[in-house]
Amino acid sequence: MTSSEDALANSTSDASLARSKARSAEIDRAIDENPSRFRILTGDRPTGHLHLGHYFGTLRNRVLLQERGVQTWVLIADYQVITDRDGVGPIRERVLALIADYIAVGIDPERSVIFNHSAIPALNQLMLPFLSLVTESELHRNPTVKAELEASDGRAMSGLMLTYPVHQAADILFCKANLVPVGQDQLPHLEQARLIAQRFDKRYGRANPDRPVFPRPEALLSEVPLLLGTDGTKMSKSRGNTIELGMSADETAKILKKAKTDAERRITFDPANRPEVSNLLMLASLSTGRAPEEIADEIGDRGAGALKAFVTESLNEMFAPMRARRAELLANEDYLWSVLRAGDEKANAQADETLDEVRTAMQMDY
Ligand code: TRP
C-alpha cells in the first residue's frame, strides 16, 4: 500500500491509469446488472455556451447513463465560476442556457436532478469539515491546481482556486455519488474526494465502522474522442473555433467553411500527419456513426470542400432536433426555472440529510 499522499501523486501515473481503465470496464458491466446501485454526479461551470466538444465528450455519455437507469445528478457549478474570475459574468443567461442545453440533449428532469451550488447551503457547509481533512501542501501538489496556476500567467491564485478540489469533493460526497464520469485529467480530483471520504470516516466514524458516512466515489473513464477546434488548435470558446449547440445551421456552415485543412486533395484519415482533415473526419464520424476511414474513402479526390460540406450536413442533421427543442425551451423561462427549483429542492433535502449525519458523526448535534 502506498501512503495516501503517494496515491494522490500517482493517480495520473501509467499503472494507475491502466487500473482506472480496467476498473471502469468492470463498473460498466455492473451497471448493466444493476444500474440503480449507481449514482453519478457530473457538472459544468456556467462560463459560456456548451459546444460540440462538451456534447461528444460528456453530455452524450450522461444521457446514455441516464437511459441505462443510473441515477444522474447534474450540477451547475456556479460558485466554481469565481475560482479564476473576478465576477460571475452574465450568469443568469448562462444558467438558463445550460438548463436548456441539458434538456435539449436528453437529460430528463423527471429522472435526473439538475441543481446549482449556490442554492444548496448544506453542500457548501461541508467545505468546513472537509478542509480540516486536507493539508495545504497536498492542495499545492494537486496536478489540476498546478496546471491552473501555470495557465494563469503569473496572476496570484485565489484561496478558492487552491481549495476547489475540496469543494468538488463536497459536490460529489453530499449526494453520496459513487460514480463520477470523468476524463483522465480529473482523476486527481477523484482521488482527493476518496481521501476526504476515507479520512472523515477514520476520524469521526468510529462509532459505527461498518456504516461509513460516505461512499468511496469511483471514476468512470469514458473514451473521449480528442477533438480539435476548426483551426486545428485546442478547442475553446475564446478562440472562436468551435460549434455551439445553440448555433444555427448557417452559423455552423460558416465556421466549417473557414476550417483549416491542408494542401493534399485526396481525403485520408491520418490523425498524426493530417490533424485538421482527420479532425473533420472525426466530427463526420461522430455525427453519422460511421467509421472515419469509410467517410474518407467516400469523399476521396473530391477534396476539402466536399469534406466540409459532408461535415456541415451531418452535424446539422444530428443537431437539428436538439436545436429546435433548445429554442422552444428558451422561449419558456418559467419552465426552465421550475426545473432548477425542483432539482434544488431534491438536492437540498439530500444535502441537509448528509450534513445531519456529518454533525452526528462529529458529535456536533447538540
Ligand atoms: N469542474 C467541472 C468543470 O470544469 C465542474 C464540476 C464541479 C464537477 N464539481 C464537479 C465535475 C464535480 C465533476 C464532479 O466544469
mmCIF file with all atom_site columns, all heavy atoms in Angstrom, residues 28 90 101-102 105 108 123-124 139 153-154 256 260 266 355:
data_model
loop_
_atom_site.group_PDB
_atom_site.id
_atom_site.type_symbol
_atom_site.label_atom_id
_atom_site.label_alt_id
_atom_site.label_comp_id
_atom_site.label_asym_id
_atom_site.label_entity_id
_atom_site.label_seq_id
_atom_site.pdbx_PDB_ins_code
_atom_site.Cartn_x
_atom_site.Cartn_y
_atom_site.Cartn_z
_atom_site.occupancy
_atom_site.B_iso_or_equiv
_atom_site.pdbx_formal_charge
_atom_site.auth_seq_id
_atom_site.auth_comp_id
_atom_site.auth_asym_id
_atom_site.auth_atom_id
_atom_site.pdbx_PDB_model_num
ATOM 1   N N   . ASP A 1 28  ? -18.761 -0.760 -15.801 1.00 0.00 ? 28  ASP A N   1
ATOM 2   C CA  . ASP A 1 28  ? -19.682 -0.741 -16.922 1.00 0.00 ? 28  ASP A CA  1
ATOM 3   C C   . ASP A 1 28  ? -20.546 -2.005 -16.952 1.00 0.00 ? 28  ASP A C   1
ATOM 4   O O   . ASP A 1 28  ? -21.742 -1.947 -17.204 1.00 0.00 ? 28  ASP A O   1
ATOM 5   C CB  . ASP A 1 28  ? -18.874 -0.596 -18.220 1.00 0.00 ? 28  ASP A CB  1
ATOM 6   C CG  . ASP A 1 28  ? -19.722 0.011  -19.306 1.00 0.00 ? 28  ASP A CG  1
ATOM 7   O OD1 . ASP A 1 28  ? -20.181 1.145  -19.111 1.00 0.00 ? 28  ASP A OD1 1
ATOM 8   O OD2 . ASP A 1 28  ? -19.943 -0.659 -20.331 1.00 0.00 ? 28  ASP A OD2 1
ATOM 9   N N   . PRO A 1 90  ? -22.423 37.212 -17.133 1.00 0.00 ? 90  PRO A N   1
ATOM 10  C CA  . PRO A 1 90  ? -23.887 37.187 -17.364 1.00 0.00 ? 90  PRO A CA  1
ATOM 11  C C   . PRO A 1 90  ? -24.471 35.839 -16.939 1.00 0.00 ? 90  PRO A C   1
ATOM 12  O O   . PRO A 1 90  ? -24.927 35.045 -17.757 1.00 0.00 ? 90  PRO A O   1
ATOM 13  C CB  . PRO A 1 90  ? -24.010 37.410 -18.876 1.00 0.00 ? 90  PRO A CB  1
ATOM 14  C CG  . PRO A 1 90  ? -22.712 36.938 -19.436 1.00 0.00 ? 90  PRO A CG  1
ATOM 15  C CD  . PRO A 1 90  ? -21.660 37.093 -18.387 1.00 0.00 ? 90  PRO A CD  1
ATOM 16  N N   . ASP A 1 101 ? -29.811 23.561 -22.659 1.00 0.00 ? 101 ASP A N   1
ATOM 17  C CA  . ASP A 1 101 ? -28.915 22.611 -23.330 1.00 0.00 ? 101 ASP A CA  1
ATOM 18  C C   . ASP A 1 101 ? -29.100 21.204 -22.759 1.00 0.00 ? 101 ASP A C   1
ATOM 19  O O   . ASP A 1 101 ? -29.213 20.230 -23.500 1.00 0.00 ? 101 ASP A O   1
ATOM 20  C CB  . ASP A 1 101 ? -27.443 23.020 -23.123 1.00 0.00 ? 101 ASP A CB  1
ATOM 21  C CG  . ASP A 1 101 ? -26.997 24.161 -24.037 1.00 0.00 ? 101 ASP A CG  1
ATOM 22  O OD1 . ASP A 1 101 ? -27.607 24.334 -25.108 1.00 0.00 ? 101 ASP A OD1 1
ATOM 23  O OD2 . ASP A 1 101 ? -26.039 24.858 -23.674 1.00 0.00 ? 101 ASP A OD2 1
ATOM 24  N N   . TYR A 1 102 ? -29.090 21.108 -21.438 1.00 0.00 ? 102 TYR A N   1
ATOM 25  C CA  . TYR A 1 102 ? -29.216 19.799 -20.789 1.00 0.00 ? 102 TYR A CA  1
ATOM 26  C C   . TYR A 1 102 ? -30.483 19.072 -21.261 1.00 0.00 ? 102 TYR A C   1
ATOM 27  O O   . TYR A 1 102 ? -30.441 17.920 -21.669 1.00 0.00 ? 102 TYR A O   1
ATOM 28  C CB  . TYR A 1 102 ? -29.291 19.943 -19.266 1.00 0.00 ? 102 TYR A CB  1
ATOM 29  C CG  . TYR A 1 102 ? -27.996 20.303 -18.566 1.00 0.00 ? 102 TYR A CG  1
ATOM 30  C CD1 . TYR A 1 102 ? -28.010 20.925 -17.320 1.00 0.00 ? 102 TYR A CD1 1
ATOM 31  C CD2 . TYR A 1 102 ? -26.760 20.017 -19.143 1.00 0.00 ? 102 TYR A CD2 1
ATOM 32  C CE1 . TYR A 1 102 ? -26.836 21.256 -16.654 1.00 0.00 ? 102 TYR A CE1 1
ATOM 33  C CE2 . TYR A 1 102 ? -25.580 20.345 -18.487 1.00 0.00 ? 102 TYR A CE2 1
ATOM 34  C CZ  . TYR A 1 102 ? -25.624 20.963 -17.242 1.00 0.00 ? 102 TYR A CZ  1
ATOM 35  O OH  . TYR A 1 102 ? -24.470 21.276 -16.588 1.00 0.00 ? 102 TYR A OH  1
ATOM 36  N N   . VAL A 1 105 ? -30.511 18.056 -25.020 1.00 0.00 ? 105 VAL A N   1
ATOM 37  C CA  . VAL A 1 105 ? -29.714 16.896 -25.436 1.00 0.00 ? 105 VAL A CA  1
ATOM 38  C C   . VAL A 1 105 ? -30.259 15.588 -24.866 1.00 0.00 ? 105 VAL A C   1
ATOM 39  O O   . VAL A 1 105 ? -29.798 14.511 -25.244 1.00 0.00 ? 105 VAL A O   1
ATOM 40  C CB  . VAL A 1 105 ? -28.213 17.006 -25.074 1.00 0.00 ? 105 VAL A CB  1
ATOM 41  C CG1 . VAL A 1 105 ? -27.587 18.229 -25.718 1.00 0.00 ? 105 VAL A CG1 1
ATOM 42  C CG2 . VAL A 1 105 ? -27.977 16.989 -23.562 1.00 0.00 ? 105 VAL A CG2 1
ATOM 43  N N   . ASP A 1 108 ? -33.343 14.211 -18.698 1.00 0.00 ? 108 ASP A N   1
ATOM 44  C CA  . ASP A 1 108 ? -34.762 14.257 -18.394 1.00 0.00 ? 108 ASP A CA  1
ATOM 45  C C   . ASP A 1 108 ? -34.957 14.717 -16.950 1.00 0.00 ? 108 ASP A C   1
ATOM 46  O O   . ASP A 1 108 ? -34.612 13.998 -16.016 1.00 0.00 ? 108 ASP A O   1
ATOM 47  C CB  . ASP A 1 108 ? -35.341 12.844 -18.594 1.00 0.00 ? 108 ASP A CB  1
ATOM 48  C CG  . ASP A 1 108 ? -36.789 12.746 -18.163 1.00 0.00 ? 108 ASP A CG  1
ATOM 49  O OD1 . ASP A 1 108 ? -37.391 13.780 -17.793 1.00 0.00 ? 108 ASP A OD1 1
ATOM 50  O OD2 . ASP A 1 108 ? -37.320 11.619 -18.177 1.00 0.00 ? 108 ASP A OD2 1
ATOM 51  N N   . LEU A 1 123 ? -24.538 21.807 1.199   1.00 0.00 ? 123 LEU A N   1
ATOM 52  C CA  . LEU A 1 123 ? -23.418 21.304 0.388   1.00 0.00 ? 123 LEU A CA  1
ATOM 53  C C   . LEU A 1 123 ? -22.181 22.149 0.685   1.00 0.00 ? 123 LEU A C   1
ATOM 54  O O   . LEU A 1 123 ? -21.103 21.636 0.960   1.00 0.00 ? 123 LEU A O   1
ATOM 55  C CB  . LEU A 1 123 ? -23.775 21.386 -1.096  1.00 0.00 ? 123 LEU A CB  1
ATOM 56  C CG  . LEU A 1 123 ? -22.756 20.941 -2.153  1.00 0.00 ? 123 LEU A CG  1
ATOM 57  C CD1 . LEU A 1 123 ? -23.458 20.745 -3.497  1.00 0.00 ? 123 LEU A CD1 1
ATOM 58  C CD2 . LEU A 1 123 ? -21.563 21.841 -2.363  1.00 0.00 ? 123 LEU A CD2 1
ATOM 59  N N   . ASN A 1 124 ? -22.371 23.455 0.643   1.00 0.00 ? 124 ASN A N   1
ATOM 60  C CA  . ASN A 1 124 ? -21.226 24.353 0.842   1.00 0.00 ? 124 ASN A CA  1
ATOM 61  C C   . ASN A 1 124 ? -20.677 24.272 2.263   1.00 0.00 ? 124 ASN A C   1
ATOM 62  O O   . ASN A 1 124 ? -19.487 24.438 2.483   1.00 0.00 ? 124 ASN A O   1
ATOM 63  C CB  . ASN A 1 124 ? -21.632 25.779 0.475   1.00 0.00 ? 124 ASN A CB  1
ATOM 64  C CG  . ASN A 1 124 ? -21.943 25.905 -1.011  1.00 0.00 ? 124 ASN A CG  1
ATOM 65  O OD1 . ASN A 1 124 ? -21.066 25.713 -1.838  1.00 0.00 ? 124 ASN A OD1 1
ATOM 66  N ND2 . ASN A 1 124 ? -23.191 26.139 -1.343  1.00 0.00 ? 124 ASN A ND2 1
ATOM 67  N N   . LEU A 1 139 ? -2.795  20.213 -1.391  1.00 0.00 ? 139 LEU A N   1
ATOM 68  C CA  . LEU A 1 139 ? -3.535  21.004 -2.379  1.00 0.00 ? 139 LEU A CA  1
ATOM 69  C C   . LEU A 1 139 ? -2.583  21.611 -3.406  1.00 0.00 ? 139 LEU A C   1
ATOM 70  O O   . LEU A 1 139 ? -2.880  21.622 -4.602  1.00 0.00 ? 139 LEU A O   1
ATOM 71  C CB  . LEU A 1 139 ? -4.334  22.110 -1.684  1.00 0.00 ? 139 LEU A CB  1
ATOM 72  C CG  . LEU A 1 139 ? -5.507  21.608 -0.832  1.00 0.00 ? 139 LEU A CG  1
ATOM 73  C CD1 . LEU A 1 139 ? -6.097  22.758 -0.030  1.00 0.00 ? 139 LEU A CD1 1
ATOM 74  C CD2 . LEU A 1 139 ? -6.579  20.964 -1.709  1.00 0.00 ? 139 LEU A CD2 1
ATOM 75  N N   . ASP A 1 153 ? -0.723  32.757 -15.922 1.00 0.00 ? 153 ASP A N   1
ATOM 76  C CA  . ASP A 1 153 ? 0.161   33.823 -16.394 1.00 0.00 ? 153 ASP A CA  1
ATOM 77  C C   . ASP A 1 153 ? 0.708   34.676 -15.261 1.00 0.00 ? 153 ASP A C   1
ATOM 78  O O   . ASP A 1 153 ? 0.818   35.900 -15.382 1.00 0.00 ? 153 ASP A O   1
ATOM 79  C CB  . ASP A 1 153 ? -0.639  34.757 -17.332 1.00 0.00 ? 153 ASP A CB  1
ATOM 80  C CG  . ASP A 1 153 ? -0.120  34.655 -18.748 1.00 0.00 ? 153 ASP A CG  1
ATOM 81  O OD1 . ASP A 1 153 ? 0.884   33.955 -18.942 1.00 0.00 ? 153 ASP A OD1 1
ATOM 82  O OD2 . ASP A 1 153 ? -0.731  35.288 -19.639 1.00 0.00 ? 153 ASP A OD2 1
ATOM 83  N N   . GLY A 1 154 ? 0.998   34.042 -14.147 1.00 0.00 ? 154 GLY A N   1
ATOM 84  C CA  . GLY A 1 154 ? 1.608   34.771 -13.048 1.00 0.00 ? 154 GLY A CA  1
ATOM 85  C C   . GLY A 1 154 ? 0.652   35.524 -12.141 1.00 0.00 ? 154 GLY A C   1
ATOM 86  O O   . GLY A 1 154 ? 1.061   36.087 -11.144 1.00 0.00 ? 154 GLY A O   1
ATOM 87  N N   . LEU A 1 256 ? -17.475 26.065 -40.480 1.00 0.00 ? 256 LEU A N   1
ATOM 88  C CA  . LEU A 1 256 ? -16.816 24.932 -41.125 1.00 0.00 ? 256 LEU A CA  1
ATOM 89  C C   . LEU A 1 256 ? -16.180 25.333 -42.458 1.00 0.00 ? 256 LEU A C   1
ATOM 90  O O   . LEU A 1 256 ? -15.160 24.778 -42.857 1.00 0.00 ? 256 LEU A O   1
ATOM 91  C CB  . LEU A 1 256 ? -17.790 23.775 -41.293 1.00 0.00 ? 256 LEU A CB  1
ATOM 92  C CG  . LEU A 1 256 ? -18.043 23.019 -39.967 1.00 0.00 ? 256 LEU A CG  1
ATOM 93  C CD1 . LEU A 1 256 ? -19.267 22.121 -40.080 1.00 0.00 ? 256 LEU A CD1 1
ATOM 94  C CD2 . LEU A 1 256 ? -16.817 22.210 -39.545 1.00 0.00 ? 256 LEU A CD2 1
ATOM 95  N N   . LYS A 1 260 ? -9.626  24.971 -41.063 1.00 0.00 ? 260 LYS A N   1
ATOM 96  C CA  . LYS A 1 260 ? -8.301  24.763 -41.648 1.00 0.00 ? 260 LYS A CA  1
ATOM 97  C C   . LYS A 1 260 ? -8.200  23.328 -42.197 1.00 0.00 ? 260 LYS A C   1
ATOM 98  O O   . LYS A 1 260 ? -8.669  22.381 -41.567 1.00 0.00 ? 260 LYS A O   1
ATOM 99  C CB  . LYS A 1 260 ? -7.255  24.983 -40.553 1.00 0.00 ? 260 LYS A CB  1
ATOM 100 C CG  . LYS A 1 260 ? -5.858  25.114 -41.093 1.00 0.00 ? 260 LYS A CG  1
ATOM 101 C CD  . LYS A 1 260 ? -4.897  25.569 -40.007 1.00 0.00 ? 260 LYS A CD  1
ATOM 102 C CE  . LYS A 1 260 ? -3.493  25.315 -40.499 1.00 0.00 ? 260 LYS A CE  1
ATOM 103 N NZ  . LYS A 1 260 ? -2.543  25.088 -39.433 1.00 0.00 ? 260 LYS A NZ  1
ATOM 104 N N   . ARG A 1 266 ? -6.633  14.597 -51.933 1.00 0.00 ? 266 ARG A N   1
ATOM 105 C CA  . ARG A 1 266 ? -7.261  13.319 -51.574 1.00 0.00 ? 266 ARG A CA  1
ATOM 106 C C   . ARG A 1 266 ? -7.469  13.240 -50.053 1.00 0.00 ? 266 ARG A C   1
ATOM 107 O O   . ARG A 1 266 ? -6.555  13.461 -49.276 1.00 0.00 ? 266 ARG A O   1
ATOM 108 C CB  . ARG A 1 266 ? -6.377  12.154 -52.036 1.00 0.00 ? 266 ARG A CB  1
ATOM 109 C CG  . ARG A 1 266 ? -7.056  10.838 -51.809 1.00 0.00 ? 266 ARG A CG  1
ATOM 110 C CD  . ARG A 1 266 ? -6.424  9.635  -52.463 1.00 0.00 ? 266 ARG A CD  1
ATOM 111 N NE  . ARG A 1 266 ? -7.214  8.475  -52.085 1.00 0.00 ? 266 ARG A NE  1
ATOM 112 C CZ  . ARG A 1 266 ? -8.373  8.170  -52.636 1.00 0.00 ? 266 ARG A CZ  1
ATOM 113 N NH1 . ARG A 1 266 ? -8.839  8.883  -53.641 1.00 0.00 ? 266 ARG A NH1 1
ATOM 114 N NH2 . ARG A 1 266 ? -9.066  7.123  -52.203 1.00 0.00 ? 266 ARG A NH2 1
ATOM 115 N N   . LEU A 1 355 ? -25.570 16.517 5.871   1.00 0.00 ? 355 LEU A N   1
ATOM 116 C CA  . LEU A 1 355 ? -24.957 17.391 6.872   1.00 0.00 ? 355 LEU A CA  1
ATOM 117 C C   . LEU A 1 355 ? -25.359 16.946 8.284   1.00 0.00 ? 355 LEU A C   1
ATOM 118 O O   . LEU A 1 355 ? -24.532 16.980 9.208   1.00 0.00 ? 355 LEU A O   1
ATOM 119 C CB  . LEU A 1 355 ? -25.346 18.851 6.619   1.00 0.00 ? 355 LEU A CB  1
ATOM 120 C CG  . LEU A 1 355 ? -24.682 19.897 7.529   1.00 0.00 ? 355 LEU A CG  1
ATOM 121 C CD1 . LEU A 1 355 ? -23.152 19.856 7.412   1.00 0.00 ? 355 LEU A CD1 1
ATOM 122 C CD2 . LEU A 1 355 ? -25.202 21.303 7.211   1.00 0.00 ? 355 LEU A CD2 1
#
